[in-house]
Amino acid sequence: MIVPRRGFYVNSEQLATARKNIATHPWARRAFKQIETDCDQFLTKWSEEDLYACVLSMHGQTFAYGITGCPHCRKPFPFSGDAERAMFSRFPAKTVTCPSCKTVLPDATYTDEGVGLERNGIGYYPIGMWNFYTAGHLLGGVRDHEGMVTKLVWLYMLTHNEHYARRAAVILDAFAAIYPGTIGPRDFTPFGSTKEMGRLHLLTSIVYRVKVLLAHDYDWLYHLSELNEPSPARALLGLPGTMRDNIEVMLRDYLLTEPGGPEYDLTGGNLTELHNHEADGVRAMLAVGLVLEEPDYLKWGIRASDVFLANALGRDGMYFEGSYGYSMFTGTVLLDMSLLSMRADTAQTASHPFGSYRFFQFAVENPLGLLCQGHLPCYGDWGQDRSNSPTPDPKTMADAYRAALHFYTFSPDDALRNRAAERLCSLYSLAEERLGSKGLDLFLSHPEPHQTASFSLPTSSTFTGQAGILAGRDGTGTTILMRVGPNYTHSHDDILGLSYYAYGKEISADVGYSSYGTNGHYGWTTHSIAHNTVVVNGDRTMKRGQLYKPCTGGTLSFLYEKDGITMFEGSAPNLYGVNAYERAVAIVPLGASSYVLDLFYISGAATCDYTFRAFHEKAELSLATDKIRSTNTPWTLAGVDASRHLYYDAPGQSFGERLTTGETFQPLCKGERAQGWTPEPNNGYGFIHDMQEYKKPADSILQADWVSDQGHTLAWYGLLTGNERIWTGAYPTLDGREKHPVLIVRGTGATMQYVAVFCTRKTKQPPELSHIRQLSTRGVQVTALAVMHESGLIDFWVYSPIRQTMIVQTRFGEWRVTGRCAMVRTNRQGKIVRADCITADEMLFQGIHFEGVHRITSTITDIDYTKRAIRITPPLPVSGNSGYVRIARSSDAQASIYPVEHVQTEVDAAVFILRDDLILSKGTVTSYSRGTLHTTDPLPLAASLTGKIIRGSQGGYGIILAIPSPKSIRIQSENPFSAGETFDIIDIESGFQVEWL
């Protein structure tokens, strides 16, 4: 029987679980057979001598992804699948064949002695690419952390065949010999730079992702007698040492800090910002600490795990970084970290990570609750969403399933284990096709196939109260995603921007993200103008290198859901420092599809640019109005009303036209750099080119149609209310290979109200939306319109950013509304079909009086923070039109919004069980003086903590005024804090007011 040294990732008892899975589950049998086939073929193709020769040939050479593409044809290389594998020669040759132009690199024209070549200021690394691909295959890499070495170890564990173990040891020994002193892939530094960016082919934190598995491999190979013998790899390099010493040096190297990545140092248990890089560092520290028995690493890692779950995750279970894709990835990191921390904490000195409700919400519940027609939410730094299916995203399903599996296997909390079991049964069939792609899948207990249940996509809206992410859904499943929360790392500047999902597609065509720090990333895709939003004053305050505006976020003003219609409003005036910056959106079923009403109100700006785009695929945009014929039309959006000549405001010179493979510019103009460069002004306007200006229609109704080559049409109707100017332009994808049309409507004046209605349909189907008409109104800043259905139904809408009595003239008589927003639907004869007092107290139409929900405010009398329960006494709030409550110190104070799990009614009181934690973050005081508190633990959610309560375990109490750095808090103190005092940051306390949202 073989045993590991520690069994920290998989222990000996789990071998029986794996064998049961292989006997029970078809996916497990297939996975085992695939691992067995891969390993047996590997043993046949690669001798020990070949492995040493291959790996040692990389010594002193570069490693590179190859993101700049082919130097000959300039086209990008594929980065996955058979197309990528076919590019690379078999050792001892080290060549790359471009699949586009068939050039074999390096050659006489493009010579590479192992350090790459430079053409027109851009670096290319053919041999580096070969090294990168081969090292990833053998050791594990960016796309698959489990290389051949780990697969060999999995098979050794299951078969006890030492042939697999010995070959795995050879791979570890060979790479360990060349590992120290390598500087990581070269794609993200200027050509010729020696800046340290990782190790071997592994970029910064990816070193740590792979290192966890290498530590696991060494754990199970630990007792091999060969490891005590001299290292053949070191001997070939003329160096002494055993294989064991060689491998352990590699495991200890590039640990605790991350040269080339974000600055942090885990020494002494120090934590810096709690971002995903630091999380990777912690899990690697734990893995190395476990296998090499380093007690300090374990102590620091156990505490770090506890802090990450308390402070990097919000009370809504949302990870703080501004991209949900990064959140999903970080979930896999925190699961590993928690597993390793649990193994290390044999004395149970910390809270059990899998007993955390917040962690469960983050890893299991939120990924399912935020699905947008089956798609992972697309915002911030994450790839484009070009899927055309409403079927739940298989990767997301598998990730949520694996997270539930960890809680089901390891949680000490029976309620959490039961919830995890329910999720496992509902997700099993959706995750099954991906199970076995990670070796750990084999070693955890899964539900029996006959125990599975069905999974349903969410049908009501979802709002995350601290992160401020809203997924609004109507009766047809049409979904609008809007962000009102703060800007953090990996955010894009898209607060109040819209992501629009219909027909199983992300219609709104978010440009996305590919590589950090490129010209396309820094200068284009992060900026507001690259999103469906309104840009104020041309974003001219953006400085060079700035990715987004600092913003603590806005608020969700209301959320209305009734009989299929959903409407909501977000407000974020602090994004631009204006009086008002508000967007209200309604999603309304329209037969087989739905239309979206988009109302964007701005006050206090000089200029406002409303932008809209549709479809990732090729699409034609046409406007039902004439072009303005002029020889003076600027070429780029940046050139409109420019005060000086811009060198890039000319055909062929715009950034959008020159953006190319590698997200750089070709050619580079004077003063530009190949990477990390932004223009001045840094607003992205220079990427939008081929500007065409249009006349304002006589009836002030602008119609625009996008027709995609995949058979869909988006019809957009805009109600023009002032002296707007209208343009179309073209914008690039990140690699510049595609150009897509965009609509821009510029408004000026002290206040600006944009009104649009849009709807997507299959092109071959007749339209269900006919047109819109403006209605006459009385009131202040009132907008009213009629949305005409082809069926003859008419939706009358009225909206104002301020509460008042509004009078609207319709074809069927006067409509009087008291409040802010309402809708009435009639048939063509004027018979009322439905009436919605959305944010109206009451309304009168055709002599019929309609009453809205009268808001009743109650007071919290008691709070149980551990049970997420608040007790209130009469008057009890009347249930609103959503499952959320607004809680604030007073009616005019900043409010927090919480989802309600259920309500327990009593004789003279009610207890609301909330879905979110009531504690936001925590820490320990290191010092306190003159209103400034310093804490041991970073507070990465700082932007959402201003104004919150900080309450110490020894009586310290105050209100947070600001958090100027991750470990420093400025407080308006009522009771002072003491060094060593632990504290909680909380959202609510007794005496606060509650009402339904």
Side-chain angles (χ1 to χ4, degrees):
M1 179 178 178
I2 62 169
V3 293
R5 187 185 195 192
R6 289 290 299 264
F8 66 86
Y9 200 58
V10 174
N11 60 33
S12 298
E13 289 76 15
Q14 290 175 269
L15 297 182
T17 301
R19 294 188 180 99
K20 179 183 176 183
N21 284 334
I22 292 167
T24 305
H25 296 277
W27 64 263
R29 286 194 293 276
R30 289 193 300 270
F32 173 75
K33 286 297 183 183
Q34 188 63 57
I35 293 173
E36 187 176 47
T37 299
D38 291 346
C39 291
D40 288 343
Q41 289 179 351
F42 181 79
L43 292 182
T44 300
K45 293 179 179 179
W46 287 88
S47 66
E48 292 186 8
E49 292 77 12
D50 287 342
L51 278 171
Y52 280 120
C54 173
V55 174
L56 296 185
S57 76
M58 303 175 190
H59 186 53
Q61 295 183 341
T62 61
F63 297 83
Y65 289 69
I67 65 172
T68 52
C70 174
H72 187 70
C73 69
R74 295 291 298 132
K75 291 184 178 179
F77 292 125
F79 286 113
S80 62
D82 293 338
E84 181 190 34
R85 284 190 289 272
M87 292 195 304
F88 299 100
S89 63
R90 175 77 190 273
F91 186 78
K94 298 175 75 169
T95 61
V96 180
T97 300
C98 173
S100 297
C101 67
K102 308 306 178 185
T103 301
V104 179
L105 303 166
D107 62 9
T109 303
Y110 305 102
T111 59
D112 182 5
E113 299 298 325
V115 295
L117 62 129
E118 187 178 23
R119 291 289 188 276
N120 300 317
I122 299 174
Y124 301 91
Y125 306 91
I127 290 179
M129 284 181 63
W130 192 96
N131 291 339
F132 180 97
Y133 174 80
T134 304
H137 172 63
L138 296 175
L139 198 66
V142 61
R143 297 174 192 89
D144 187 354
H145 305 154
E146 298 182 13
M148 280 307 309
V149 60
T150 302
K151 292 178 181 178
L152 289 162
V153 171
W154 292 132
L155 198 56
Y156 169 55
M157 293 164 61
L158 292 169
T159 65
H160 298 185
N161 186 333
E162 289 197 358
H163 288 296
Y164 302 122
R166 284 194 288 270
R167 201 60 53 89
V170 168
I171 297 174
L172 288 178
D173 182 49
F175 278 105
I178 67 170
Y179 183 93
T182 55
I183 56 176
R186 298 294 86 200
D187 306 79
F188 308 99
T189 59
F191 183 80
S193 169
T194 58
K195 181 180 179 181
E196 195 174 5
M197 296 294 291
R199 288 290 182 267
L200 300 170
H201 58 300
L202 304 172
L203 180 69
T204 56
S205 63
I206 301 171
V207 175
Y208 298 138
R209 300 172 202 173
V210 173
K211 185 167 287 191
V212 171
L213 289 164
L214 300 184
H216 152 78
D217 298 339
Y218 182 56
D219 186 35
W220 278 87
L221 299 175
Y222 189 84
H223 297 293
L224 277 182
S225 59
E226 289 90 337
L227 296 185
N228 297 317
E229 298 174 0
S231 161
R234 293 184 64 82
L236 288 167
L237 295 176
L239 300 171
T242 65
M243 293 178 73
R244 187 180 304 281
D245 294 337
N246 192 30
I247 294 168
E248 291 190 1
V249 167
M250 175 176 67
L251 292 176
R252 294 180 189 277
D253 183 64
Y254 201 88
L255 199 66
L256 306 184
T257 63
E258 191 179 312
E263 291 187 12
Y264 63 87
D265 188 346
L266 300 174
T267 303
N270 179 61
L271 295 168
T272 303
E273 292 184 4
L274 306 188
H275 44 61
N276 68 87
H277 285 254
E278 196 167 13
D280 267 321
V282 170
R283 69 166 164 172
M285 176 179 69
L286 278 164
V288 172
L290 282 159
V291 73
L292 299 185
E293 298 186 343
E294 292 284 354
D296 282 344
Y297 290 1
L298 304 185
K299 179 177 68 176
W300 301 339
I302 292 166
R303 182 180 171 279
S305 299
D306 193 46
V307 173
F308 264 91
L309 297 187
N311 288 4
L313 306 182
R315 53 134 166 129
D316 49 12
M318 292 291 285
Y319 177 60
F320 79 94
E321 295 193 56
S323 157
Y324 202 69
Y326 266 95
S327 177
M328 290 296 295
F329 159 71
T330 303
T332 65
V333 180
L334 296 186
L335 287 169
D336 264 3
M337 181 196 297
S338 298
L339 172 59
L340 301 178
S341 173
M342 180 194 72
R343 300 287 200 201
D345 192 15
T346 54
Q348 299 182 349
T349 59
S351 301
H352 197 295
F354 294 108
S356 167
Y357 172 83
R358 182 184 302 208
F359 187 23
F360 183 82
Q361 191 175 4
F362 161 70
V364 181
E365 299 290 9
N366 285 349
L368 306 176
L370 284 170
L371 287 172
C372 301
Q373 286 210 337
H375 296 228
L376 191 71
C378 184
Y379 61 87
D381 283 346
W382 206 244
Q384 282 193 336
D385 180 1
R386 295 197 174 214
S387 170
N388 292 328
S389 172
T391 302
D393 175 57
K395 184 178 184 306
T396 302
M397 296 298 99
D399 286 346
Y401 177 91
R402 289 184 175 114
L405 197 60
H406 279 71
F407 280 88
Y408 177 71
T409 304
F410 301 117
S411 179
D413 185 293
D414 288 341
L416 278 182
R417 291 189 78 251
N418 290 337
R419 290 180 65 171
E422 291 174 3
R423 284 303 188 189
L424 288 177
C425 290
S426 67
L427 295 174
Y428 182 85
S429 61
L430 295 170
E432 187 176 9
E433 67 179 69
R434 287 182 172 251
L435 294 180
S437 59
K438 296 181 182 295
L440 187 60
D441 294 343
L442 292 171
F443 297 88
L444 299 176
S445 295
H446 300 259
E448 300 291 338
H450 67 271
Q451 297 175 317
T452 59
S454 62
F455 171 78
S456 298
L457 289 172
T459 54
S460 60
S461 298
T462 301
F463 181 66
T464 60
Q466 190 171 357
I469 306 297
L470 176 70
R473 306 176 180 95
D474 79 343
T476 70
T478 299
T479 303
I480 294 286
L481 185 83
M482 186 168 78
R483 192 169 71 87
V484 300
N487 281 334
Y488 290 116
T489 303
H490 289 300
S491 287
H492 285 187
D493 211 356
D494 60 353
I495 291 176
L496 301 197
L498 294 188
S499 295
Y500 166 44
Y501 299 81
Y503 290 97
K505 297 161 64 75
E506 193 253 309
I507 304 289
S508 45
D510 190 272
V511 180
Y513 161 83
S514 179
S515 298
Y516 196 90
T518 63
N519 290 355
H521 176 232
Y522 272 21
W524 168 231
T525 187
T526 62
H527 292 289
S528 296
I529 198 64
H531 300 85
N532 287 354
T533 188
V534 170
V535 184
V536 169
N537 297 337
D539 252 349
R540 292 187 176 275
T541 62
M542 295 288 289
K543 300 176 182 177
R544 275 196 164 166
Q546 186 178 349
L547 301 183
Y548 48 78
K549 295 178 286 294
C551 182
T552 57
T555 59
L556 182 66
S557 306
F558 68 81
L559 172 60
Y560 177 89
E561 293 183 288
K562 187 175 181 181
D563 298 335
I565 289 180
T566 294
M567 189 170 188
F568 51 86
E569 181 184 65
S571 174
N574 55 345
L575 179 66
Y576 285 101
V578 293
N579 301 326
Y581 187 77
E582 301 170 357
R583 190 172 209 167
V585 178
I587 320 172
V588 185
L590 186 73
S593 61
S594 301
Y595 73 81
V596 178
L597 172 64
D598 185 14
L599 302 152
F600 213 132
Y601 174 74
I602 308 98
S603 174
T607 64
C608 300
D609 292 332
Y610 175 101
T611 67
F612 197 89
R613 69 214 76 210
F615 303 120
H616 286 290
E617 65 270 20
K618 184 179 179 181
E620 297 293 332
L621 169 60
S622 61
L623 273 58
T625 186
D626 295 329
K627 291 182 181 179
I628 296 175
R629 304 296 178 182
S630 172
T631 58
N632 298 321
T633 301
W635 182 247
T636 66
L637 181 58
V640 175
D641 299 332
S643 60
R644 58 186 174 86
H645 173 70
L646 304 173
Y647 72 91
Y648 51 85
D649 187 37
Q653 296 300 304
S654 72
F655 303 124
E657 291 168 282
R658 291 188 289 122
L659 193 64
T660 187
T661 302
E663 302 176 30
T664 187
F665 302 139
Q666 180 67 29
L668 288 169
C669 293
K670 183 179 179 181
E672 297 175 351
R673 297 195 308 272
Q675 292 179 329
W677 183 86
T678 57
E680 184 70 36
N682 178 27
N683 57 8
Y685 279 37
F687 286 80
I688 297 178
H689 58 280
D690 194 13
M691 296 287 287
Q692 305 286 331
E693 189 166 6
Y694 289 78
K695 295 178 181 179
K696 183 175 179 179
D699 63 357
S700 295
I701 304 294
L702 176 64
Q703 180 176 351
D705 291 289
W706 281 260
V707 180
S708 89
D709 66 0
Q710 292 184 3
H712 290 89
T713 294
L714 183 141
W716 182 97
Y717 300 88
L719 178 60
L720 305 181
T721 59
N723 297 317
E724 295 93 344
R725 296 174 70 185
I726 305 159
W727 293 278
T728 62
Y731 69 92
T733 54
L734 275 169
D735 60 7
R737 284 188 291 172
E738 300 174 17
K739 306 295 189 293
H740 295 283
V742 60
L743 171 68
I744 303 155
V745 181
R746 174 167 293 182
T748 58
T751 63
M752 189 67 208
Q753 177 72 71
Y754 288 98
V755 182
V757 174
F758 54 88
C759 177
T760 301
R761 73 176 198 276
K762 292 182 178 179
T763 304
K764 292 183 178 180
Q765 293 179 345
E768 295 179 298
L769 178 66
S770 175
H771 60 283
I772 68 172
R773 289 179 181 169
Q774 186 172 5
L775 302 177
S776 175
T777 65
R778 278 186 283 161
V780 179
Q781 295 170 1
V782 178
T783 298
L785 69 155
V787 179
M788 321 296 287
H789 303 218
E790 286 287 354
S791 66
L793 295 176
I794 306 171
D795 292 347
F796 297 108
W797 287 92
V798 64
Y799 169 85
S800 174
I802 59 177
R803 184 172 294 277
Q804 59 184 299
T805 296
M806 303 172 286
I807 298 175
V808 181
Q809 300 300 326
T810 78
R811 66 169 65 178
F812 304 118
E814 185 177 276
W815 178 28
R816 181 184 293 266
V817 178
T818 300
R820 289 190 53 216
C821 182
M823 186 272 269
V824 171
R825 174 174 291 174
T826 72
N827 63 15
R828 56 168 50 95
Q829 289 79 33
K831 181 180 179 181
I832 297 174
V833 176
R834 67 176 293 166
D836 292 77
C837 294
I838 295 171
T839 56
D841 299 327
E842 60 181 354
M843 61 184 181
L844 183 66
F845 187 51
Q846 297 181 4
I848 303 174
H849 180 257
F850 301 91
E851 286 197 11
V853 175
H854 292 280
R855 303 291 175 181
I856 296 177
T857 301
S858 303
T859 302
I860 298 175
T861 59
D862 190 29
I863 301 178
D864 187 329
Y865 289 93
T866 60
K867 295 181 179 178
R868 312 187 310 279
I870 59 173
R871 177 182 296 273
I872 59 177
T873 55
L876 301 180
V878 178
S879 180
N881 294 306
S882 73
Y884 296 82
V885 290
R886 184 197 312 273
I887 304 176
R889 187 181 297 275
S890 62
S891 59
D892 58 350
Q894 181 184 20
S896 299
I897 296 172
Y898 278 79
V900 177
E901 193 162 277
H902 64 271
V903 179
Q904 301 170 356
T905 56
E906 301 174 355
V907 175
D908 59 350
V911 176
F912 283 49
I913 308 299
L914 305 180
R915 200 177 305 150
D916 291 359
D917 272 354
L918 302 184
I919 296 173
L920 306 182
S921 297
K922 68 179 187 178
T924 303
V925 179
T926 57
S927 66
Y928 176 76
S929 176
R930 298 180 180 179
T932 298
L933 182 152
H934 296 280
T935 174
T936 55
D937 305 325
L939 298 168
L941 288 161
S944 64
L945 299 180
T946 302
K948 305 304 181 185
I949 301 159
I950 181 167
R951 185 182 63 181
S953 60
Q954 298 173 27
Y957 184 92
I959 303 297
I960 295 176
L961 300 176
I963 302 180
S965 67
K967 296 183 181 181
S968 176
I969 313 173
R970 285 181 41 234
I971 298 171
Q972 179 183 325
S973 175
E974 294 185 16
N975 292 314
F977 289 81
S978 305
E981 183 175 8
T982 60
F983 64 82
D984 292 330
I985 297 173
I986 58 177
D987 227 4
I988 57 178
E989 58 184 355
S990 294
F992 276 39
Q993 297 180 355
V994 181
E995 68 175 21
W996 286 98
L997 182 64

